[in-house]
């Protein structure tokens, strides 16, 4: 777990952090997305897309909590990389399970024995999504933009009120 300190009050810090967040739909642009609920946050920094690179648009993440102290606030967070996050693991697992269900349903014309195939279907969907998330995390760990993105997350969390200045 990483820890940072800020001179801002907890309320001012969380407000500034919300102000840094951009739309998640700017797919090929450099951006910071995320959500702040109470004193908890989940943020992601997406590196800019470069058309001439083999691996590009890396993602760095941070999940954490803001705690008020005597000197200001303390930010406790865990780092993440790539698509390796609970949201993407669940979403990809569900999407792959739906695709597998449609393929099985189409093959058997509605005569699926759900007793054994459903467990295997969910297990393979979870395995595929886990592999995809690990690959993107590895890409973000070894590329130059991925390493620089980790610094951007730290810079933003250190003082979100000065991030875009």
């Amino acid at each position: 777990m990483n820890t940072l300190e800020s001179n801002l009050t907890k309320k001012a810090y969380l407000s500034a952090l919300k102000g840094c967040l951009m739309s998640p739909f700017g797919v090929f642009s450099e951006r910071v997305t995320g959500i702040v609920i109470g004193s908890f946050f989940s943020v992601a920094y997406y590196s800019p897309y470069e058309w001439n690179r083999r691996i590009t648009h890396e993602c760095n993440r941070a999940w954490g909590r803001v705690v008020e102290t005597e000197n200001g606030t303390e930010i406790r967070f865990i780092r993440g990389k790539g698509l390796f996050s609970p949201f993407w693991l669940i979403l990809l697992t569900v999407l792959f399970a739906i695709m597998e269900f449609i393929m099985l349903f189409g093959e058997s014309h509605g005569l699926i024995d759900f007793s054994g195939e459903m467990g295997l279907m969910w297990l393979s969907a979870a395995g595929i999504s886990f592999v995809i998330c690990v690959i993107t995390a590895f890409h973000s760990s070894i590329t130059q933009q991925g390493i620089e993105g980790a610094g951007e997350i730290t810079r933003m969390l250190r003082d979100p009120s000065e991030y875009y200045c």
Side-chain angles (χ1 to χ4, degrees), residues 83-102 118-133:
L83 296 180
F84 202 73
S85 70
F87 170 78
W88 285 107
L89 282 170
I90 292 169
L91 180 69
L92 289 173
T93 299
V94 170
L95 288 176
F96 283 121
I98 290 170
M99 288 185 340
E100 289 176 2
F101 177 75
I102 290 170
M118 286 301 279
L120 182 61
M121 180 181 74
W122 282 104
L123 186 63
S124 64
I128 291 168
S129 65
F130 182 77
V131 167
I132 289 171
C133 290

Side-chain angles (χ1 to χ4, degrees), residues 2-3 5 17 29 52 59 64 71 76 91 96 101 104 107 114 122-123:
N2 299 308
T3 304
E5 291 186 11
L17 186 61
S29 62
N52 60 343
C59 178
N71 302 335
R76 300 176 186 157
L91 180 69
F96 283 121
F101 177 75
L104 288 174
E107 271 184 29
F114 287 107
W122 282 104
L123 186 63

Side-chain angles (χ1 to χ4, degrees), residues 62-92:
W63 303 279
R65 180 173 178 225
V66 178
V67 179
E68 188 122 26
T69 62
E70 303 86 36
N71 302 335
T73 57
E74 183 178 78
I75 302 93
R76 300 176 186 157
F77 65 97
I78 298 171
R79 292 185 182 277
K81 295 215 174 255
L83 296 180
F84 202 73
S85 70
F87 170 78
W88 285 107
L89 282 170
I90 292 169
L91 180 69
L92 289 173

Side-chain angles (χ1 to χ4, degrees), residues 9-163:
T9 65
K10 180 179 175 180
K11 186 175 181 178
Y13 182 88
L14 291 170
S15 177
L17 186 61
K18 287 179 188 177
C20 289
L21 304 179
M22 304 165 89
S23 171
F25 301 112
V27 178
F28 294 112
S29 62
E30 178 181 18
R31 68 191 189 282
V32 177
T33 63
I35 187 168
V36 177
I37 299 174
S39 63
F40 296 94
F41 63 87
S42 172
V43 294
Y45 170 78
Y46 293 90
S47 299
Y49 179 80
E50 293 184 74
W51 68 271
N52 60 343
R53 292 205 181 200
R54 191 171 295 182
I55 302 169
T56 187
H57 205 53
E58 293 86 351
C59 178
N60 284 277
R61 302 178 177 280
W63 303 279
R65 180 173 178 225
V66 178
V67 179
E68 188 122 26
T69 62
E70 303 86 36
N71 302 335
T73 57
E74 183 178 78
I75 302 93
R76 300 176 186 157
F77 65 97
I78 298 171
R79 292 185 182 277
K81 295 215 174 255
L83 296 180
F84 202 73
S85 70
F87 170 78
W88 285 107
L89 282 170
I90 292 169
L91 180 69
L92 289 173
T93 299
V94 170
L95 288 176
F96 283 121
I98 290 170
M99 288 185 340
E100 289 176 2
F101 177 75
I102 290 170
M103 288 185 335
L104 288 174
F105 187 77
E107 271 184 29
S108 64
H109 303 291
L111 303 173
I112 298 175
D113 178 19
F114 287 107
S115 57
E117 292 177 0
M118 286 301 279
L120 182 61
M121 180 181 74
W122 282 104
L123 186 63
S124 64
I128 291 168
S129 65
F130 182 77
V131 167
I132 289 171
C133 290
V134 167
I135 288 170
T136 61
F138 178 70
H139 284 172
S140 184
S141 297
I142 64 168
T143 60
Q144 178 185 357
Q145 282 191 348
I147 294 167
E148 290 172 1
E152 285 293 317
I153 284 281
T154 304
R155 188 169 75 92
M156 183 193 61
L157 291 177
R158 186 169 288 125
D159 190 1
S161 63
E162 297 291 323
Y163 183 63

